[in-house]
Amino acid sequence: MGVFIISRCHLFTMTVSTLPAHALPKPKPDLTATRKPQSPIAIFFWRRRIWFESTFVSSMLEPWEKILLLTILFASVVLVVTGIYKYLPQQIFLIRRRAIYYLWGQEGDERLLWQWLGLDVDPSPGIYKES
């Protein structure tokens, strides 16, 4: 089946010619990148990519802007993960000590906390078992 193309030869005369469908140029814009894939794994990653692009409007950005945005986002994530990995254990220990102080009014024995929670303390340090 051909596609009809109308061309103007003269001011009032119009001619019609047909071209085969494969000879036509691709439609603009080319939306092959946003078509839903077939496999379940590809659909999973496709949905995440579409969510990311629509959230950060990266589909509207130029390539250099996308690179800049992703670089800033990656650096931020690396800094947050590094901070959690390096400093969170120290903060948890400090929070635990402060909680013991606020609950009992004194710094001191952690065994009070474990007894209050209903756990027995094993004589070996650092090992707790339920009663």
Side-chain angles (χ1 to χ4, degrees), residues 9 11-12 26 28 36 40 43 52 56 61 66 72 78-79 82 84 94 97 100 104-105 108 113 119-120 126 130-131:
C9 292
L11 187 59
F12 297 108
K26 284 188 174 183
K28 302 285 183 184
K36 190 173 182 179
I43 289 173
F52 182 81
F56 293 104
L61 300 177
K66 286 183 185 181
I72 291 171
V78 166
L79 288 173
T82 302
I84 288 172
L94 183 64
R97 285 184 47 211
I100 290 172
W104 283 278
L113 174 65
L119 301 173
D120 287 336
E130 270 190 58
S131 53

Side-chain angles (χ1 to χ4, degrees), residues 93 96-97 100 108-115 121 128:
F93 179 72
R96 184 182 60 175
R97 285 184 47 211
I100 290 172
D109 208 359
E110 274 188 36
R111 288 180 286 174
L112 294 172
L113 174 65
W114 296 112
Q115 287 173 357
V121 180
Y128 302 100

Side-chain angles (χ1 to χ4, degrees), residues 52 67-82:
F52 182 81
I67 292 170
L68 181 66
L69 175 72
L70 292 175
T71 302
I72 291 171
L73 187 65
F74 179 73
S76 300
V77 167
V78 166
L79 288 173
V80 168
V81 168
T82 302

